[in-house]
């Protein structure tokens, strides 16, 4: 390939092994090629640089929610207290904000804030053009869960008992095979289902976003 170029590969997690092999071969053949891949799972391809995306901050989340809410109900009044509360309750997750905004057609802002106490029941939509796994937050999480090996699925479900995070030792106490717990945690980190928190007394702690834990 004679000129610099960029190849964008979107939503690669369901074919991650194929994409990793393709990326490795293309980069070996095309020295000036760059590949941008969006995926919930690390490719583990040579030369890969991982950039993890977090939820939107309060300002960006509020802007997205307001834009989607007014598209659903142009007369809605968005006050300065409820919108930031909604953004924080869904932890800035863009899809969750869009699904929450869709509820403005039938709920008030106060009702929406109250309903988000049980987010998975509320964050569901029926957009006909949407991919089925993007119509509800429950479906999105289930999609990621189902990509995991069965033992890691079990570990993931058990880690949901921890509020506010856990240590490696606590995770090992819940696992059927403590010798594989660290590998399971690494896979959950790669799938962005678990986050590493700041170290405490020289040891890392881990946690889930509350929407995922729910």
């Amino acid at each position: 390939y004679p000129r610099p170029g960029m190849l964008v590969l979107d939503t690669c997690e369901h074919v991650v092994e194929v994409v990793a092999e393709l990326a490795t071969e293309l980069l070996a053949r095309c020295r000036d090629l760059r590949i941008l891949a969006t995926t919930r799972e690390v490719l583990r391809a040579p030369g890969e640089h991982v950039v993890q995306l977090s939820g939107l901050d309060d300002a960006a989340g509020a802007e997205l929610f307001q834009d989607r809410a007014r598209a659903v109900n142009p007369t809605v009044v968005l006050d300065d207290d409820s919108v930031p509360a909604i953004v924080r309750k869904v932890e800035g997750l863009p899809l969750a904000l869009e699904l929450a905004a869709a509820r403005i057609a039938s709920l008030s802002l106060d009702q929406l804030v109250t309903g988000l106490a049980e987010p998975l029941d509320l964050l569901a939509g029926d957009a006909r053009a949407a991919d089925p796994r993007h119509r509800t937050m429950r479906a999105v999480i289930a999609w990621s869960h189902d990509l995991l090996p069965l033992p890691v699925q079990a570990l993931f479900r058990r880690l949901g008992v921890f509020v506010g995070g856990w240590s490696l030792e606590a995770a090992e106490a819940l696992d059927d095979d403590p010798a594989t717990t660290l590998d399971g945690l690494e896979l959950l980190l790669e799938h962005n289902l678990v986050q590493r928190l700041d170290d405490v007394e020289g040891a890392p702690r881990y946690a889930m976003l509350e929407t995922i834990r729910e």
Side-chain angles (χ1 to χ4, degrees), residues 181-192:
T181 303
L182 182 58
D183 291 337
L185 274 176
E186 288 181 348
L187 193 57
L188 291 171
L189 286 164
E190 288 183 3
H191 281 250
N192 291 306

Side-chain angles (χ1 to χ4, degrees), residues 98-128:
E98 293 199 26
L99 293 171
R103 292 295 190 180
I104 290 297
S106 55
L107 297 177
S108 69
L109 278 175
D110 289 341
Q111 288 175 317
L112 184 56
V113 172
T114 301
L116 285 172
E118 297 182 354
L120 295 185
D121 292 332
L122 190 72
L123 298 176
D126 60 357
R128 294 183 179 88

Side-chain angles (χ1 to χ4, degrees), residues 145-158:
H145 167 273
D146 292 346
L147 290 172
L148 299 169
L150 291 177
V152 184
Q153 289 182 7
L155 175 63
F156 172 57
R157 293 193 298 270
R158 293 173 184 178

Side-chain angles (χ1 to χ4, degrees), residues 42 49-54 188-192 194-196:
V42 176
H49 294 265
V50 178
V51 179
Q52 292 190 342
L53 301 181
S54 58
L188 291 171
L189 286 164
E190 288 183 3
H191 281 250
N192 291 306
V194 164
Q195 299 175 320
R196 176 174 171 169

